Amino acid sequence: MPLIKDRREVDDIWAYVPDEAALSPGGCITVSLARLRSETEMLLARNTEIGVRLEPADDPHELEEFLDRLALIEIDFPKYTDGRGYSQAQLLRRRLGYEGELRAVGHVLRDQILYMNRSGFDAFETERAELPSVLDALEEYSAVYQPAADERVPVFRRRHGKD
């Protein structure tokens, strides 16, 4: 699957390790929130970067104490109709101040990428969308009507000189 980060295709150096699988001795890994909470000391003691994958039902506030140690947070979209990941991204960026990589994984479609980016995602693991299509999606609308994590100035603020 192509990984698109910061508007370019990059190699993915991260591996997701399911809860029932053994951890590799090295390399950058992501684990579930449950595994991060149950194996915190061992995971944070590794001499490699660590990431976590949030499922739709996970509460991003549970990551608050770890945010400065997480290089990557993946948010899973198991179905394109499940929008909870947008809310998780907004919470992480706008309320909790997470500044690391925020990656959308799972069922990520081209038509969602602009809205994912506005919610705070800066990386997209997508099966169907190639780089030119993703770049087109990110530039599809030149004006926005509501504030979001991407900090673009909404039309009403530009009209009233509040930018």
Side-chain angles (χ1 to χ4, degrees):
M1 277 186 256
L3 174 61
I4 298 169
K5 179 180 176 185
D6 298 325
R7 300 177 184 258
R8 58 189 175 89
E9 197 166 328
V10 298
D11 292 330
D12 189 359
I13 61 168
W14 293 86
Y16 176 68
V17 181
D19 289 346
E20 63 279 355
L23 296 174
S24 63
C28 300
I29 61 166
T30 59
V31 296
S32 70
L33 176 60
R35 189 168 195 170
L36 176 67
R37 301 223 29 99
S38 68
E39 300 177 26
T40 302
E41 288 182 36
M42 192 252 317
L43 287 166
L44 296 178
R46 291 171 54 96
N47 194 24
T48 59
E49 292 187 307
I50 189 80
V52 69
R53 178 174 291 186
L54 293 180
E55 298 298 328
D58 290 339
D59 181 0
H61 289 97
E62 290 186 43
L63 289 176
E64 197 163 7
E65 66 185 287
F66 306 111
L67 289 178
D68 60 334
R69 296 185 210 135
L70 295 173
L72 169 67
I73 298 176
E74 297 178 330
I75 297 182
D76 187 33
F77 287 83
K79 298 188 286 186
Y80 77 93
T81 57
D82 191 335
R84 291 176 284 182
Y86 296 97
S87 299
Q88 291 171 322
Q90 287 273 1
L91 284 170
L92 286 164
R93 290 286 194 217
R94 296 177 83 187
R95 290 199 186 151
L96 300 176
Y98 179 67
E99 295 179 0
E101 180 180 336
L102 191 55
R103 182 184 299 182
V105 299
H107 201 187
V108 177
L109 302 176
R110 182 233 184 257
D111 292 346
Q112 298 170 302
I113 288 176
L114 173 67
Y115 304 107
M116 288 176 171
N117 183 255
R118 296 219 60 229
S119 296
F121 290 97
D122 56 3
F124 314 93
E125 188 178 282
T126 174
E127 295 177 19
R128 298 186 180 111
E130 298 298 324
L131 181 60
S133 180
V134 170
L135 294 177
D136 286 346
L138 291 170
E139 302 300 326
E140 203 155 44
Y141 297 103
S142 61
V144 296
Y145 289 94
Q146 60 277 108
D150 67 355
E151 299 181 6
R152 288 172 63 182
V153 179
V155 170
F156 74 90
R157 286 198 179 135
R158 284 193 277 163
R159 281 189 192 147
H160 299 291
K162 297 178 182 178
D163 47 327

